[in-house]
């Protein structure tokens, strides 16, 4: 086979170099045709679009072409010509084909027919080859690029926080333990408590639930940082919005008050959505149509309208107390919520979505939550009852960003940690930043997969991460 430098299909479909010899490599989506001419739809993952390969059957041989079935991988040399079809500008008239790998039609699971998302999760090693998941994972890449670009251009430093930690940032206790101990022969004290002095780190350690606390330390030196890495929650939850392993983006900024933090969150999320519109429109348009078939029982909105809804609206700033009043009024007028609403309640997704979708009809940043339902590190307001928390609420999702101004006063922070039974031996280093040159500072966390749910329109969080980790599921 003649050696020709490979061209990616995404680049080839934009080319106008008709008459030139080209080479493409990829996986066969379909092969159809007659005894005279075959048409192969080829995709290499660089774009949602396939390139059509036109094959003279007599020239290459009917027997040779038989193994070229859906899923097979081939290399094609040919001449780039203007397409006769209406859907694409260029196609290739094949002169040579090399078969890299076949895919037996009897056993290859991705035949040309509709597959359920549940079935595709069972073959997560192959699902990136489908149009839907190719689109999702290209968008995932672009959102990661947008995040790094946003913070880099604003002078933030990318800071790597540990994945193995001895502290529970959220105080929730739902952490995956990390150990080298022999679980069949655990060393215990006279009270039956496990001893960790012979463990790898000499103490009990877990996978991190957040990089925030360490991020704050960095902000107290570098001014403005962000983390972007995997986090882990051992929450036994099987909802469409929860994963045991997911990715978090957590900026922390010295000298930011809550108002500046809210503005940063709004600017950040709008930047990411604009990036998706500017760089992923073909994939977004494909998913806009595809998810109607994927999630037949779900009500699907127009994805492009959804994204523009965020860009076109200023986010409302709303105190929690006022939000609760609005929700209580709705109940009084006959609106039914599954979960009760009262001052002090941790709002459910249905409450958050009501405020965004029904009442304000724009994104909402809810502030000043009761301190009892928020973490120990949030700055306390003068009323003694609320903290300077902020949650960004979106349509379809509910909370997409959670953050706060952090408590910079040593005595208040120490007292709150004591009230919440957080062991001082685990956070002494965190408290030190309030002893040595403390400063006002703020930050927030964005669950990467929550952002991807919104941008792709997928209905289940397991469908926006390559290999979902959930209760009883750690395949691949």
């Amino acid at each position: 086979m003649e050696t020709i430098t490979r061209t990616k299909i995404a680049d080839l479909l934009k080319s106008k170099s008709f008459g030139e010899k080209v080479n493409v490599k990829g996986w066969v989506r379909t092969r159809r045709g007659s005894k005279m001419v075959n048409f192969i739809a080829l995709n290499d993952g660089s774009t949602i679009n396939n390139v059509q390969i036109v094959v003279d059957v007599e020239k290459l041989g009917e027997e040779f072409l038989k193994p070229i079935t859906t899923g097979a991988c081939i290399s094609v040399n040919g001449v780039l010509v203007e397409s006769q079809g209406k859907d694409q500008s260029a196609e290739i008239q094949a002169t040579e084909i090399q078969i890299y790998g076949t895919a037996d039609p009897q056993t290859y699971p991705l035949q040309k027919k509709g597959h359920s998302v549940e079935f595709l999760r069972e073959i997560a090693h192959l699902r990136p080859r489908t149009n839907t998941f190719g689109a999702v994972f290209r968008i995932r890449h672009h959102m990661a690029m947008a995040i790094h670009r946003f913070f880099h251009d604003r002078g933030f430093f990318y800071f790597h926080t540990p994945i193995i930690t001895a502290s529970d940032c959220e105080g929730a206790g739902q952490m995956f333990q990390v150990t080298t101990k022999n679980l069949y022969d655990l060393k215990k004290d006279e009270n039956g408590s496990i001893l960790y002095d012979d463990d790898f780190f000499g103490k009990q350690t877990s996978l991190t639930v957040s990089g925030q606390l360490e991020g704050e330390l960095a902000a107290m030196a570098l001014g403005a940082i962000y983390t972007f890495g995997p986090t882990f929650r051992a929450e036994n939850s099987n909802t469409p919005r929860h994963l045991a392993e997911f990715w978090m983006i957590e900026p922390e900024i010295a000298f930011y008050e809550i108002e500046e933090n809210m503005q940063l969150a709004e600017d950040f999320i709008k930047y990411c959505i604009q990036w998706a519109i500017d760089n992923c429109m073909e994939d977004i348009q494909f998913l806009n149509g595809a998810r109607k078939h994927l999630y037949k029982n779900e009500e699907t909105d127009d994805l492009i309208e959804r994204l523009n809804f965020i860009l076109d609206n200023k986010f409302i700033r709303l105190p929690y107390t006022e939000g609760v009043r609005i929700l209580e009024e709705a109940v009084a007028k006959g609106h039914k919520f599954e979960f009760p609403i009262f001052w002090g309640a941790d709002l459910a997704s249905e409450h958050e979505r009501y405020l965004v979708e029904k009442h304000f009809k724009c994104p909402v940043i809810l502030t000043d939550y009761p301190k009892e339902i928020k973490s120990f590190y949030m700055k306390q307001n003068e009323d003694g009852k609320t903290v300077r928390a902020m949650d960004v609420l979106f349509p379809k999702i509910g909370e997409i960003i959670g953050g706060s101004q952090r408590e910079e006063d040593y005595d208040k922070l120490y007292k709150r940690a004591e009230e919440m039974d957080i062991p001082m031996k685990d956070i002494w280093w965190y408290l030190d930043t309030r002893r040595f040159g403390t400063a006002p500072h703020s930050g927030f966390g964005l669950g990467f997969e929550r952002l991807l749910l919104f941008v792709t329109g997928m209905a289940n969080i397991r469908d926006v991460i390559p290999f979902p980790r959930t209760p009883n599921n750690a395949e691949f």
Side-chain angles (χ1 to χ4, degrees), residues 1-2 4 12 19-25 28 31 36-42 51-61 64-65 68 74-82 90-99:
M1 190 167 176
E2 184 184 353
I4 302 170
L12 189 90
E20 280 191 7
K21 283 185 174 180
V22 294
N23 170 268
V24 289
K25 304 177 198 290
V28 174
R31 177 168 70 87
M36 304 292 292
V37 63
N38 275 196
F39 301 98
I40 298 170
L42 198 68
V51 66
Q52 179 164 279
I53 313 294
V54 183
V55 183
D56 183 332
V57 175
E58 192 177 359
K59 186 175 178 184
L60 291 180
F64 174 79
L65 293 170
I68 301 177
I74 61 174
S75 173
V76 180
N77 283 348
V79 179
L80 185 68
V81 298
E82 206 160 354
E91 61 188 28
I92 297 172
Q93 288 183 339
T95 53
E96 295 177 285
I97 295 179
Q98 180 181 355
I99 300 172

Side-chain angles (χ1 to χ4, degrees), residues 220 407-411 413-414 427-439:
M220 291 290 103
E407 181 57 75
E408 79 270 19
D409 183 286
Y410 176 87
D411 292 330
L413 185 65
Y414 187 95
I427 59 161
W428 63 269
W429 47 270
Y430 181 68
L431 291 166
D432 261 7
T433 57
R434 276 69 172 178
R435 294 173 61 217
F436 307 125
T438 192

Side-chain angles (χ1 to χ4, degrees), residues 2 36 41 49 51 66 99 101 112 156 180 185 199 222 243 252 274 292 294 299 345 366 429 436:
E2 184 184 353
M36 304 292 292
N49 300 307
V51 66
K66 269 186 182 173
I99 300 172
K112 189 173 168 55
F156 283 65
T180 56
D185 185 22
D199 205 352
L222 300 172
L243 290 166
E252 290 293 331
Q274 187 64 59
K292 291 180 175 68
L294 286 169
E299 184 187 334
L366 210 58
W429 47 270
F436 307 125

